[in-house]
Amino acid sequence: MSDKPKIKVATVWLGGCSGCHMSFLDLDERLVELVKLVDITASPITDVKEIPNVDVGIVEGAVCNEEQEHVLRTLRSRCKVLVALGDCAITGNIPALRNQFKLDDVLARGFVETESTQVGDIPGPPPVPRLLKKVRPIQEFVKVDAHIPGCPPDADTIWYALTELLAGRMPQWNEKNLCYD
Amino acid sequence: MIRTHILVCAGAGCISSGGNALKDMLAAELKKRGLDGEVKIVETGCMGPCDRGPVMLVHPEGTFYQRVTALDVPRLVEEHFIKGRPYTKLLPKDDITANVVTTQRDFSFFAKQEKIVLENCGLIDAENIEEYIARDGYAALGKVLTSMKPELVIAQIKASGLRGRGGAGFPTGVKWELMAKAPAKPKYVICNADEGDPGAFMNRAVLEGDPHRVLEGMAIGAYAMGSNRGFIYIRAEYPLAIKRLNVAIAQAYQHGLLGKNLFETGYDFDIEIRIGAGAFVCGEETALMRSIEGRRGQPMPRPPFPAQRGLWGKPTNINNVETWATIKPIILRGAKWYASFGTEKTKGTKVFALAGKIRNTGLAEVPYGTTMREIIFGIGGGIPQGRKFKAVQTGGPSGGVIPEQHLDEPLEYESLQKLGSIMGSGGMVVMDEDSCMVDVARFFMEFCCDESCGKCPPCRVGTRQMLNLLDRICTGEAGLEDIEKLESLATVVRDASLCGLGQTAPNPVLTTLRYFRDEYLAHVVEKRCPARVCRELLEFRINEEKCVGCSLCARGCPVHTIFKRDGQKKYYIVEDACIQCGACLDACRFDAVLKTSNGVNGRPVTPAASETSSTRATKPVMEK
Amino acid sequence: MIALKKIKLTIDGRRCEGQEGQTILQIAQANGINIPTLCFLKHLSPWGGCRMCIVEIVGSPKVVPACSTPAKDGEQVNTQSESLQKLRRSTLELLFSERNHICPFCVMNKGDCELQLQGYRHGIDAISIPYLYPACPVDVSGKYLALDHNRCILCTRCVRACEEMEGTHTLDIANRGANNRVVVDLGATFGTSDSCTSCGACVAACPTGALFDKAAAFRGKLNTSRTVRTTCNECPVGCGLLVYTKENRIVEVFGDFDSPVSHGHLCVRGRYETWAEPRQRILQPMVRRHGKLEPATWDEALEAVRQAAKKAKPDRKAVLVSPRLNNETIATLKKFERIGMFVAQNEGALCANGDRSPDSIAKLHDADAVIVLGAQPSHAQGVVAAKIRTTVRQRGAKLLIFHTRKSDLDRYATICANVVSLERKFWGRVADVLRDAKRPVLVYGPEAMTPIGVSVLERLVKIFEAKTAGPAPALIALPTSPNSLTLAAGGIEPVEEVGPWLDAKPLKFLHIVASDEPDGGARLLDEKYVRALLEEIDCVVVQAAYQSRLTGLAKVVLPAAIWCEKKGTITNFEGRELPLQAVLPPRGEARQDQEILEAVLK
């Protein structure tokens, strides 16, 4: 048993496809190494929803609705280092495609004009969170300390970034390790 | 026998305030009184004090009349031309001495000016070439063509120290020399009459009031540089100037002063007018040339310079209207004479256009080295309605703002650059305490963003991003990091842009940040607009002690958010729905509506009604 | 040739030599110094707009774009200072923020996109400014190419390629500033464009996935594909092709910039029609049994052919070939007794009288007067039309058109006489226009061989003889078919009217070599009586790559190789011998034309 306290990590997924978390799981055996150093607290993987105070917060996905904004701000206020994982969190990516249309049109297309719907109704809060007018990357809401680009970033890239952060360094991105998809 | 001349200003400014009706009425009244044989009306170009228009000057007395309307004419004719005494109602009051001015000579607005470029403006009928000729018109061209070699002309321009008046201030003689050396043929000369800076109308006055001096200057320059063809590129928004130029060119051709074999020397010179289509960027010389070629007006990188490869790939020399207008006096009166005006580094005079919060809006020509204080307060008459001076923007939308503490700096290229501004084409927009400097920066950034040609990303996207940041600062949505972003973007746009538009677009932002940073901080930290201009940061309240319950404010409110207190004759504003339009302030006659900007201390921070969540970065939404 | 002065300058501390007139970028690249670029393309005029190639010159306060700034002797240039890197990175961030550059579903993703590459090279993991998310349209109305404005960086490489290579100026930028948009024909779409010729030069020039070929999308990454250079066989110009393949399928076809004929340009036929059109390929030999065409082996099919040929007397057999066969087939064809080559109307006379003018394309480039007589380059030789357009529009050459069907070239012509007048006043005007011509070129096609064409030629000759100064025009014959001039010179008789040729002596056996004609040879049936004549022949063998009405008439069908499978050489209209390189092995059972003919002869 090591005396060194484990680094506490929390992860959330916002407006994303969960692919970045799947890619994280692609670390395979390296996960075993990872959990020796790291304590994953709240996460979709552990299915723990309440976010405690942690050292590192990892965010997948863009901010699309009020609930996601709330979760993001909560995590930011409870972590020291916030990491944006994947293109959705960094650029908006595919969820942000809906920014090209008016929100009302998007909702109508999704809930009223769908081909098999007979009587459509647009859900709202509660319980469905209200959509924001524009989908935005997380850094337009909170300060982000590190980014891991990719859609999803592959396991090697995630491993590189995490090991650098655990060693107390910022990952250095260049032509050799950058990939936008 | 004509014993009196009435010079009626027919510049665009005075015409737009009723000058044509005035002139017609005057002519009719003089005829009615049988004076049309003794009193001659001459329509001249701009006299200068445009704010006081329509203006007129009566010679030989030198009486200067301001704000003359058609209705004043019968009394004016009665008093001045029948009874022989000035019509005091229309006499101006001097800003400095506060005396009534009886002759133009006593008017400090004119007394402090040195009119070289504007020497004929306001004096001659621009549509009569003979009046121009009577004032030594085309004598310089004659002298040059018959007795001066091209090299000598260039030497004289160099010795005069003349610098380009378009804004860059490049020594004109050196520019001409480079063009003269270029071997390719044919060569072209161009007059840049695009004058796109908002608030600039110096060139317009010269083109409307004394167009021949521009034609003469171009012919002299073309001869010196080896060109036989000239273009005047003039903005479409100057129809009067275009008309006067067309008349002037036609008359010059008729008199053999343009066209073939001028002055029997074998030298040919033709001038053509090309009209712009509403793009500020086409005032940039390479974009201007592409526009003349019939292509999209986009600047090209320099080098190669127009003197090497310009219009249709041939050597081309482009100068501003004012530069061309200075050539004739230099040739006639000598380089030494011209160099006696101005400072060591910048010779001669400059026409400045005074606009904004200033008593005497209009044109003033002064020697370089005059201080800004002298122009603004000496000639300009200072700030009206007892307000305080805050800043002056020099050089158009790409210029910077200069605060009160630097007003004693001399007006010349280098000293303005050190202050973070530019000379530009000579526009001077004065601002008082009611101007919000952040709003001013935002206004000019919107202009540059709108006028950007879009060729290079730093200007095309950079100005748009800067504008978005400024919008957010003005609406109270920005944080301190947004000011950092603004400064960072400003240096990128300034250093990476292709042409002068992008390179100077950040100047208003950079200078307002330099001299008025506290206003930015107030907007961002306190959500307060010290000048009470930025709408989203204003609160409107009714001082119920002064309110008499007339209900004018409530009736005029477009969003119906002013209500009557139950049981009292008092009104109050429900702030949530208020859109800060100021209609209530305009309506109230009892001084009971208060417009304040108290910032976060003054009102609760609520999200904008139109957005579910438009607030970002510093404004938390789900705050309980 | 004036020898250009040599200059020396220092770039990043290295001494570099170059010539006066070269740009800083040219000298840097020649010395192996890498300066990032986005809007620069070697074969297009420099733009200086993307601000990526900005460099610092010691002693100068402002940065300059290396691509357009002439290098000066003795100057010191820095290309990699910290401030330059910061400016370049910021410019890239601005570009990324401006539109919707979403890599994951883009056709150029994973190594084919220059914007992505610059992002990687500058270490951009995230941008520091907000995204603008504009709503940009996607134009997929074009037959072969599409334009996604979300990916456009407004570099204008497409605009310049269209203007400087194709000459139609179909593309330009509309609006101003942040509203800039690449526009087709003042606001049309590719599908409704009047002027677009689908030459695809814009797609080839586009650095991102904004302009892309529909048929090539997601077929493979160019940066990991195999490339083969070959020659287009659709017309007598013989443009160079650069073909990208992956796993035995064609990914995309571009022009070969090393081609001495076309310098990277193509027309719609070689650029798209050969591979992006759905065509029914014949993949195995077929023999007609019991009235129906049934698949057979090569041995079976060849045996059937030989048997049928044996049954007919020598003067009752004939071979009719496509004029696109390569030079190597000539020797084999001569072994047949009666051999003919089906050509376009009047082309036979052109084959007999046509001159091959070396470096014709270069002559067109330098011409100051271009006369087009009886030829249709816009329809049949796209790259020649492109050359004429660019020479007229960019270098100020005068264009005169005689006895030629209406085409887009008409609008650039100083004299446009689709129908020729014989009036003296008209020809006086022609003489006026040609008076100052110092480098005239006369391009003539099949219709120049008609009586009207000949009379125009005579009048032109008279005008040139009467001129006091200036040389006679370079004469350039422009046939319609790819290799008809060479085959005719090799002794293969051009046949303009197939009906009379077939009817001259009733045949019992006819072997039609349609090769990879796009229509499979079916146009033969459009001529009167030919179908009836063919039906009377006992055995018609059709050797073709594509199914058509013609194969429906055959007794035996032999599958031929197509353009990307062919080997050999052709000779273009300039007289240049150009190689056909097999890009892929023949599909199915298809074989080279010559191989099949040799086998038939055995």
Side-chain angles (χ1 to χ4, degrees):
Chain A
M1 264 312 261
S2 167
D3 286 301
K4 212 160 139 196
K6 282 198 190 170
I7 306 252
K8 288 214 170 82
V9 170
T11 83
V12 296
W13 60 33
L14 309 177
C17 70
S18 81
C20 292
H21 275 75
M22 296 307 108
S23 196
F24 170 79
L25 291 175
D26 274 348
L27 287 173
D28 294 334
E29 325 78 66
R30 288 181 282 193
L31 283 170
V32 177
E33 290 302 310
L34 189 63
V35 295
K36 288 192 189 146
L37 304 164
V38 149
D39 194 8
I40 301 178
T41 61
S43 168
I45 299 169
T46 58
D47 204 20
V48 172
K49 305 238 178 351
E50 185 64 38
I51 304 173
N53 284 320
V54 293
D55 300 301
V56 179
I58 301 178
V59 181
E60 168 189 342
V63 180
C64 309
N65 62 40
E66 292 182 335
E67 189 258 350
Q68 288 165 357
E69 186 181 348
H70 173 69
V71 167
L72 174 66
R73 292 192 190 278
T74 306
L75 177 59
R76 174 73 271 191
S77 68
R78 294 180 190 169
C79 75
K80 299 195 191 110
V81 173
L82 189 69
V83 179
L85 177 65
D87 285 353
C88 292
I90 300 174
T91 72
N93 201 23
I94 292 166
L97 280 175
R98 80 151 166 87
N99 290 348
Q100 304 219 4
F101 307 94
K102 289 220 259 309
L103 181 56
D104 289 338
D105 292 343
V106 171
L107 289 166
R109 181 69 186 91
F111 290 101
V112 179
E113 295 158 19
T114 32
E115 279 70 7
S116 58
T117 302
Q118 292 185 320
V119 181
D121 191 20
I122 296 172
V128 175
R130 198 169 7 232
L131 290 186
L132 301 185
K133 215 157 158 197
K134 297 274 180 204
V135 171
R136 296 200 165 272
I138 66 172
Q139 70 192 28
E140 295 193 27
F141 295 86
V142 297
K143 181 169 174 298
V144 177
D145 302 298
H147 307 88
I148 307 177
C151 184
D154 64 21
D156 290 338
T157 307
I158 295 178
W159 182 244
Y160 165 71
L162 289 180
T163 49
E164 286 296 295
L165 287 168
L166 288 172
R169 297 187 291 264
M170 278 294 159
Q172 295 302 310
W173 300 107
N174 53 52
E175 197 175 348
K176 294 193 194 71
N177 58 17
L178 267 179
C179 191
Y180 293 154
D181 69 278
Chain B
M1 201 198 104
I2 304 287
R3 62 166 171 94
T4 306
H5 284 90
I6 308 180
L7 275 56
V8 179
C9 179
C14 287
I15 286 186
S16 63
S17 45
N20 279 335
L22 161 66
K23 187 213 73 186
D24 292 339
M25 191 68 175
L26 197 55
E29 185 72 18
L30 287 171
K31 188 152 186 205
K32 186 165 134 201
R33 297 295 207 122
L35 291 167
D36 51 323
E38 304 166 35
V39 181
K40 183 164 180 211
I41 300 175
V42 181
E43 281 184 272
T44 71
C46 176
M47 291 189 189
C50 305
D51 189 64
R52 296 168 186 263
V55 297
M56 52 190 257
L57 193 52
V58 185
H59 276 312
E61 302 90 296
T63 313
F64 184 82
Y65 288 119
Q66 67 170 27
R67 301 203 175 102
V68 188
T69 69
L71 296 170
D72 293 316
V73 166
R75 270 308 295 280
L76 169 65
V77 170
E78 171 86 28
E79 286 292 312
H80 191 119
F81 298 98
I82 308 276
K83 296 195 177 144
R85 58 191 185 208
Y87 181 34
T88 49
K89 173 181 173 225
L90 299 176
L91 290 175
K93 215 157 148 201
D94 193 292
D95 311 288
I96 312 288
T97 63
N99 291 335
V100 169
V101 172
T102 41
T103 69
Q104 189 190 31
R105 267 187 300 278
D106 300 327
F107 197 176
S108 60
F109 176 82
F110 291 106
K112 304 218 170 155
Q113 294 190 41
E114 189 67 58
K115 294 209 186 201
I116 296 180
V117 169
L118 297 177
E119 64 191 355
N120 289 339
C121 267
L123 215 53
I124 63 169
D125 178 357
E127 297 190 22
N128 188 344
I129 191 174
E130 294 185 356
E131 294 201 10
Y132 178 71
I133 292 175
R135 300 263 302 168
D136 293 328
Y138 290 104
L141 180 61
K143 175 179 170 190
V144 160
L145 290 182
T146 57
S147 66
M148 289 173 79
K149 277 204 158 60
E151 300 82 54
L152 183 55
V153 178
I154 293 178
Q156 201 162 59
I157 302 300
K158 273 174 91 171
S160 74
L162 176 65
R163 291 170 74 162
R165 295 289 189 258
F170 191 82
T172 308
V174 176
K175 203 170 176 183
W176 286 19
E177 198 170 42
L178 284 168
M179 165 86 154
K181 282 206 192 109
K185 278 208 169 289
K187 298 197 220 179
Y188 302 102
V189 295
I190 299 178
C191 172
N192 185 347
D194 193 60
E195 194 163 58
D197 288 356
F201 46 101
M202 304 76 63
N203 295 165
R204 191 192 77 206
V206 173
L207 293 167
E208 288 171 355
D210 194 7
H212 284 283
R213 88 188 285 118
V214 175
L215 305 180
E216 189 177 2
M218 285 177 74
I220 293 171
Y223 168 78
M225 293 182 263
S227 158
N228 301 98
R229 205 160 155 212
F231 293 91
I232 301 180
Y233 186 87
I234 182 166
R235 61 183 306 187
E237 296 91 328
Y238 281 176
L240 183 58
I242 293 171
K243 171 174 168 259
R244 301 248 166 100
L245 266 174
N246 275 316
V247 169
I249 290 175
Q251 290 180 343
Y253 270 100
Q254 270 165 18
H255 282 69
L257 296 160
L258 275 179
K260 301 248 174 285
N261 195 16
L262 306 183
F263 290 91
E264 312 270 316
T265 58
Y267 175 67
D268 303 335
F269 184 57
D270 289 298
I271 290 187
E272 232 179 278
I273 293 187
R274 291 295 174 97
I275 301 182
F280 175 72
V281 72
C282 284
E284 197 278 340
E285 61 180 15
T286 59
L288 192 157
M289 290 191 294
R290 282 181 86 95
S291 175
I292 292 183
E293 290 173 357
R295 298 156 97 170
R296 207 174 128 83
Q298 281 170 141
M300 291 301 282
R302 296 173 300 172
F305 292 91
Q308 306 155 282
R309 219 180 329 142
L311 209 49
W312 298 296
K314 301 295 181 195
T316 308
N317 182 81
I318 304 176
N319 276 124
N320 178 268
V321 168
E322 208 174 314
T323 313
W324 290 120
T326 315
I327 304 301
K328 166 206 178 205
I330 292 178
I331 297 293
L332 281 183
R333 297 166 77 171
K336 239 179 32 195
W337 162 81
Y338 191 74
S340 70
F341 298 96
T343 68
E344 207 204 301
K345 283 222 178 109
T346 314
K347 299 292 179 193
T349 59
K350 178 82 187 75
V351 181
F352 289 97
L354 299 165
K357 308 281 178 74
I358 193 164
R359 271 214 197 85
N360 296 323
T361 312
L363 294 180
E365 185 173 0
V366 294
Y368 281 104
T370 308
T371 67
M372 283 179 274
R373 195 182 298 279
E374 279 172 324
I375 284 201
I376 294 171
F377 293 94
I379 297 175
I383 319 296
Q385 289 163 12
R387 311 300 279 163
K388 241 182 69 151
F389 172 88
K390 189 167 188 182
V392 58
Q393 194 200 36
T394 64
S398 333
V401 296
I402 295 169
E404 207 270 334
Q405 63 257 37
H406 294 301
L407 279 187
D408 294 305
E409 289 288 324
L411 275 163
E412 55 165 3
Y413 293 93
E414 283 76 20
S415 54
L416 286 179
Q417 247 169 24
K418 258 200 295 206
L419 294 172
S421 183
I422 58 172
M423 178 75 68
S425 55
M428 282 185 120
V429 180
V430 181
M431 295 160 206
D432 67 9
E433 55 201 298
D434 292 330
S435 309
C436 170
M437 300 318 284
V438 185
D439 181 60
V440 163
R442 192 200 60 79
F443 175 81
F444 286 110
M445 183 55 67
E446 186 169 10
F447 178 81
C448 290
C449 186
D450 205 48
E451 295 292 335
S452 166
C453 77
K455 175 167 172 175
C456 71
C459 176
R460 178 180 81 231
V461 195
T463 55
R464 163 65 57 190
Q465 290 277 10
M466 287 178 74
L467 180 61
N468 286 352
L469 280 167
L470 286 164
D471 277 338
R472 288 184 37 179
I473 293 173
C474 287
T475 56
E477 293 175 299
L480 276 172
E481 70 280 1
D482 290 316
I483 297 189
E484 273 173 43
K485 275 201 201 128
L486 190 64
E487 277 177 311
S488 169
L489 273 172
T491 44
V492 172
V493 176
R494 183 192 62 198
D495 295 340
S497 288
L498 188 153
C499 83
L501 194 158
Q503 286 159 6
T504 56
N507 281 352
V509 170
L510 287 171
T511 49
T512 50
L513 275 170
R514 177 171 162 180
Y515 298 118
F516 298 97
R517 201 182 187 89
D518 54 303
E519 287 197 39
Y520 279 88
L521 291 173
H523 282 73
V524 151
V525 175
E526 300 171 65
K527 313 299 178 199
R528 179 176 69 91
C529 176
R532 296 177 306 144
V533 168
C534 298
R535 274 187 27 180
E536 283 80 356
L537 304 182
L538 300 175
E539 311 95 35
F540 283 81
R541 265 180 34 247
I542 294 179
N543 179 355
E544 297 191 26
E545 284 174 23
K546 287 199 174 162
C547 175
V548 303
C550 71
S551 81
L552 271 177
C553 58
R555 278 187 268 153
C557 177
V559 290
H560 309 296
T561 197
I562 304 182
F563 301 96
K564 187 165 166 297
R565 287 229 182 268
D566 284 336
Q568 299 174 48
K569 259 191 123 185
K570 299 282 173 194
Y571 282 82
Y572 68 100
I573 299 171
V574 174
E575 286 213 55
D576 275 354
C578 173
I579 59 169
Q580 295 96 14
C581 69
C584 51
L585 179 63
D586 291 337
C588 181
R589 300 200 201 111
F590 300 93
D591 236 356
V593 178
L594 300 167
K595 178 173 84 168
T596 55
S597 181
N598 293 319
V600 288
N601 300 316
R603 65 185 180 114
V605 170
T606 52
S610 59
E611 271 259 27
T612 313
S613 177
S614 67
T615 56
R616 297 189 275 290
T618 54
K619 270 206 201 163
V621 157
M622 310 291 265
E623 225 179 32
K624 291 293 174 258
Chain C
M1 272 305 300
I2 311 166
L4 290 157
K5 205 176 87 169
K6 271 209 172 9
I7 56 175
K8 290 198 189 74
L9 55 154
T10 313
I11 304 180
D12 291 342
R14 278 175 48 185
R15 282 269 173 74
C16 298
E17 256 189 36
Q19 280 178 337
E20 197 173 275
Q22 284 189 305
T23 62
I24 296 177
L25 183 67
Q26 281 173 319
I27 298 182
Q29 283 177 341
N31 283 273
I33 297 174
N34 199 324
I35 304 177
T37 59
L38 269 180
C39 72
F40 176 75
L41 268 183
K42 203 161 56 159
H43 57 284
L44 299 175
S45 61
W47 185 235
C50 71
R51 316 308 286 169
M52 290 302 290
C53 71
I54 46 175
V55 293
E56 290 164 355
I57 300 185
V58 172
S60 199
K62 294 202 182 120
V63 298
V64 292
C67 65
S68 62
T69 308
K72 276 220 290 266
D73 193 28
E75 69 184 354
Q76 281 180 287
V77 181
N78 291 324
T79 73
Q80 295 299 335
S81 74
E82 205 180 302
S83 99
L84 281 174
Q85 296 200 33
K86 176 173 175 285
L87 288 177
R88 289 187 192 129
R89 199 202 144 115
S90 300
T91 302
L92 284 167
E93 289 194 23
L94 286 167
L95 277 174
F96 279 122
S97 80
E98 184 181 20
R99 291 199 177 183
N100 305 300
H101 297 282
I102 308 177
C103 293
F105 57 74
C106 180
V107 296
M108 298 288 260
N109 189 24
K110 287 210 181 307
D112 288 343
C113 172
E114 292 182 43
L115 180 66
Q116 191 183 66
L117 178 64
Q118 293 303 331
Y120 292 164
R121 288 214 175 127
H122 288 81
I124 297 181
D125 56 332
I127 68 174
S128 55
I129 42 181
Y131 285 93
L132 298 178
Y133 299 121
C136 300
V138 181
D139 175 7
V140 291
S141 64
K143 189 162 185 211
Y144 301 110
L145 48 91
L147 170 52
D148 183 351
H149 292 273
N150 291 287
R151 302 171 184 161
C152 175
I153 58 171
L154 297 165
C155 68
T156 71
R157 275 167 38 167
C158 59
V159 173
R160 283 174 279 146
C162 185
E163 163 77 16
E164 296 169 23
M165 295 179 80
E166 183 66 1
T168 49
H169 202 116
T170 300
L171 299 171
D172 209 326
I173 306 281
N175 306 327
R176 196 168 64 207
N179 297 323
N180 268 7
R181 173 155 321 159
V182 172
V183 75
V184 174
D185 276 352
L186 295 177
T189 59
F190 274 112
T192 57
S193 167
D194 283 326
S195 66
C196 175
T197 58
S198 295
C199 73
C202 54
V203 175
C206 181
T208 68
L211 279 160
F212 59 94
D213 286 339
K214 287 160 100 166
F218 303 113
R219 278 170 91 111
K221 292 184 290 178
L222 296 175
N223 67 89
T224 56
S225 294
R226 203 177 122 251
T227 53
V228 180
R229 284 165 214 270
T230 182
T231 307
C232 179
N233 195 22
E234 298 302 303
C235 89
V237 177
C239 301
L241 300 174
L242 185 62
V243 186
Y244 288 79
T245 65
K246 202 176 189 76
E247 291 160 13
N248 275 353
R249 65 171 183 276
I250 292 183
V251 172
E252 206 159 6
V253 176
F254 287 115
D256 179 6
F257 283 97
D258 291 339
S259 160
V261 177
S262 55
H263 305 287
H265 198 44
L266 290 176
C267 79
V268 64
R269 290 158 88 180
R271 177 78 170 82
Y272 293 116
E273 285 178 2
T274 52
W275 62 284
E277 284 288 334
R279 287 176 184 165
Q280 281 272 18
R281 184 82 193 269
I282 302 169
L283 291 171
Q284 54 192 159
M286 290 191 277
V287 175
R288 196 173 290 275
R289 295 179 187 121
H290 316 296
K292 249 183 48 172
L293 274 174
E294 288 176 0
T297 65
W298 268 107
D299 288 335
E300 287 169 354
L302 286 170
E303 186 54 34
V305 173
R306 285 187 208 114
Q307 289 297 327
K310 240 198 284 202
K311 279 202 211 123
K313 286 209 219 58
D315 63 342
R316 302 303 201 104
K317 295 190 285 196
V319 178
L320 185 62
V321 304
S322 154
R324 57 170 53 206
L325 293 183
N326 63 26
N327 299 356
E328 287 73 17
T329 54
I330 295 177
T332 311
L333 290 171
K334 299 275 276 286
K335 295 183 192 158
F336 288 92
E337 174 114 359
R338 188 164 168 218
I339 171 87
M341 147 181 82
F342 54 89
V343 295
Q345 206 177 32
N346 295 310
E347 198 177 351
L350 193 69
C351 289
N353 301 304
D355 312 277
R356 274 189 158 122
S357 184
D359 296 318
S360 301
I361 300 270
K363 287 189 179 126
L364 273 171
H365 182 100
D366 294 330
D368 61 354
V370 177
I371 304 168
V372 175
L373 168 58
Q376 303 291 142
S378 287
H379 297 136
Q381 300 90 11
V383 170
V384 169
K387 212 44 180 181
I388 294 174
R389 272 187 226 108
T390 50
T391 297
V392 168
R393 295 192 52 184
Q394 267 146 45
R395 292 178 282 279
K398 295 206 176 72
L399 177 62
L400 300 90
I401 297 179
F402 298 100
H403 192 48
T404 294
R405 286 200 306 281
K406 283 193 202 294
S407 78
D408 77 293
L409 290 179
D410 298 353
R411 70 180 79 132
Y412 310 115
T414 312
I415 302 248
C416 180
N418 305 105
V419 174
V420 181
S421 153
L422 297 175
E423 284 180 17
R424 196 141 41 110
K425 209 163 74 164
F426 170 73
W427 285 98
R429 219 159 53 86
V430 174
D432 273 335
V433 172
L434 290 171
R435 185 190 319 283
D436 298 318
K438 294 193 189 67
R439 298 177 302 280
V441 166
L442 170 56
V443 174
Y444 61 103
E447 275 67 52
M449 304 289 111
T450 60
I452 298 180
V454 169
S455 81
V456 169
L457 267 168
E458 286 173 351
R459 283 179 159 75
L460 286 170
V461 163
K462 272 214 202 79
I463 288 176
F464 278 104
E465 280 175 353
K467 265 164 42 104
T468 48
L475 300 170
I476 300 173
L478 197 60
T480 314
S481 312
N483 215 15
S484 53
L485 278 177
T486 327
L487 291 165
I492 313 299
E493 180 197 351
V495 177
E496 288 181 23
E497 287 184 315
V498 171
W501 187 79
L502 289 173
D503 211 22
K505 232 177 180 173
L507 293 170
K508 280 214 177 297
F509 175 88
L510 176 65
H511 184 147
I512 303 179
V513 182
S515 188
D516 67 333
E517 291 277 354
D519 67 350
R523 65 183 179 277
L524 291 173
L525 297 173
D526 293 333
E527 200 192 308
K528 243 180 174 175
Y529 306 127
V530 169
R531 176 179 269 277
L533 286 165
L534 287 177
E535 281 167 358
E536 283 175 15
I537 299 175
D538 284 350
C539 178
V540 174
V541 178
V542 172
Q543 176 177 331
Y546 301 113
Q547 297 255 25
S548 72
R549 292 173 287 150
L550 195 61
T551 43
L553 283 179
K555 274 255 167 55
V556 183
V557 177
L558 304 171
I562 61 171
W563 66 280
C564 53
E565 300 161 355
K566 283 191 185 179
K567 290 192 276 241
T569 47
I570 53 160
T571 308
N572 81 346
F573 76 124
E574 294 175 313
R576 231 188 266 263
E577 227 179 57
L578 298 163
L580 295 169
Q581 200 85 267
V583 177
L584 296 170
R587 261 182 75 197
E589 299 284 320
R591 288 186 186 174
Q592 304 289 334
D593 286 312
Q594 185 172 3
E595 208 185 311
I596 301 173
L597 287 166
E598 293 280 346
V600 159
L601 278 169
K602 274 218 219 35

